[in-house]
């Protein structure tokens, strides 16, 4: 029967363009892997200006960021999205604000990752991401409250390095062997200190490191797990 029935995925993107491109590629690849032929996902992508987002993040303009994204979320709903996802861990700090005025469901980026970690039987996990994700408590608290996880974060200098690499390199599509080595050095340090796995808590980190880099140290890619969950929901009709 045509048209093939599926839920339309609403994606808040542009945070960064690299992450959004990877989300779109991965969503369509996952749908095609399940359905075959020429099938891909039905999507509504609402892109935002990453310059605005970065400015508010850098200057603690969270209220303005929440209001800005609320307009975009409502635009996704008006465009026919059946549910909403956001391709950024960092801006989930204001997810309650930008989902307040929509009636469609929202799939939080931490939920698929938390569920995967719990299913793996792990408890103490290192979190890498942007400086706000690592330094503020909103993501750590979400994982602790909803999944009972103990979240470790790098020290101040390491957080600055991880953040710089995300914004100055990965968000521009630049992949540096030295930066990859730095991320893996940090992962190894906290593994030795008791971390049982690593949350790749920024949607660009998957561009730099992967499970194959440390096969015996579980890595949980928030972007990839988010995509899997979104596709599952989209095809449950």
């Amino acid at each position: 029967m045509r048209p093939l029935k599926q839920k339309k995925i609403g994606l808040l993107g542009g945070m960064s363009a690299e992450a959004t491109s990877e989300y779109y590629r991965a969503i369509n690849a996952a749908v095609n892997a399940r359905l075959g032929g020429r099938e891909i996902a039905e999507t509504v992508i609402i892109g935002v200006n990453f310059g605005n987002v970065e400015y508010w993040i850098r200057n603690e303009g969270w209220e303005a960021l929440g209001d800005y994204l609320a307009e975009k979320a409502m635009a996704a709903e008006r465009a026919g999205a059946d549910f909403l996802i956001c391709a950024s861990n960092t801006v989930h700090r204001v997810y309650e604000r930008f989902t307040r005025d929509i009636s469609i469901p929202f799939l939080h980026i931490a939920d698929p990752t938390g569920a995967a970690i719990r299913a793996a039987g792990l408890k103490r996990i290192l979190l890498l991401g942007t400086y706000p994700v690592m330094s503020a408590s909103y993501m750590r608290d979400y994982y602790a409250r909803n999944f009972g996880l103990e979240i470790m974060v790098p020290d101040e200098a390491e957080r600055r390095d991880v953040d710089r690499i995300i914004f100055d390199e990965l968000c521009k599509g630049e992949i540096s062997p030295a930066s990859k080595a730095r991320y893996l050095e940090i992962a190894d340090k906290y593994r030795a200190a008791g971390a049982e796995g690593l949350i790749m808590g920024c949607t660009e980190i998957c561009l730099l490191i992967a499970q194959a880099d440390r096969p015996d140290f579980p890595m949980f890619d928030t972007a990839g797990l988010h995509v899997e969950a979104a596709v599952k929901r989209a095809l449950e009709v």
Side-chain angles (χ1 to χ4, degrees):
M1 292 286 293
R2 294 290 175 175
L4 180 73
K5 290 187 177 180
Q6 57 180 293
K7 295 187 181 75
K8 189 176 294 183
I9 302 170
L11 174 62
L12 290 186
M15 301 172 278
S16 65
E18 298 297 325
T20 306
S21 296
E22 178 59 20
Y23 261 73
Y24 185 68
R25 184 206 64 77
I27 286 169
N28 288 318
V31 170
N32 188 258
R34 293 191 182 205
L35 301 181
R38 300 185 186 278
E39 314 294 351
I40 63 171
E42 293 189 2
T43 53
V44 172
I45 300 176
I46 303 295
V48 308
N49 178 4
F50 186 51
N52 293 334
V53 174
E54 183 186 17
Y55 175 83
W56 285 315
I57 290 171
R58 296 299 192 199
N59 292 281
E60 296 290 325
W62 298 105
E63 183 176 353
L65 177 58
D67 290 343
Y68 177 68
L69 295 178
E71 294 180 1
K72 308 305 181 184
M74 288 186 287
E77 182 172 23
R78 289 193 301 270
D82 293 301
F83 67 96
L84 185 69
I85 61 175
C86 176
S88 167
N89 284 265
T90 305
V91 305
H92 273 68
R93 180 166 177 168
V94 292
Y95 84 93
E96 291 177 321
R97 169 65 191 97
F98 69 71
T99 61
R100 187 178 67 197
D101 299 321
I102 60 174
S103 58
I104 57 175
F106 177 68
L107 178 56
H108 194 291
I109 197 169
D111 286 337
T113 296
I117 294 169
R118 191 160 62 182
L122 306 181
K123 174 82 173 180
R124 198 174 189 211
I125 308 293
L126 174 65
L127 173 63
L128 298 184
T130 62
Y131 189 83
V133 164
M134 295 182 290
S135 298
S137 65
Y138 62 102
M139 275 298 189
R140 286 181 279 136
D141 289 347
Y142 193 93
Y143 283 115
R145 182 174 63 252
N146 293 287
F147 300 99
L149 302 180
E150 180 185 347
I151 301 297
M152 304 171 69
V153 294
D155 67 27
E156 176 69 17
E158 292 161 344
R159 292 198 297 270
R160 295 292 183 186
D161 278 352
V162 170
D163 182 87
R164 176 188 56 77
I165 289 166
I166 290 169
F167 279 101
D168 293 351
E169 298 176 16
L170 300 183
C171 287
K172 299 177 181 179
E174 298 175 9
I175 306 300
S176 161
S179 295
K180 179 173 183 173
R182 178 59 170 150
Y183 270 48
L184 293 175
E185 176 187 30
I186 293 169
D188 291 341
K189 172 184 172 180
Y190 288 91
R191 180 184 187 182
E196 300 172 316
L198 165 66
I199 294 173
M200 296 159 64
C202 175
T203 52
E204 287 84 14
I205 292 178
C206 62
L207 304 174
L208 185 65
I209 62 173
Q211 186 65 71
D213 295 313
R214 292 293 184 270
D216 57 347
F217 185 50
M219 296 187 184
F220 298 89
D221 173 17
T222 55
L225 291 164
H226 204 200
V227 164
E228 288 178 16
V231 168
K232 183 175 184 292
R233 180 172 293 192
L235 297 183
E236 289 176 344
V237 293

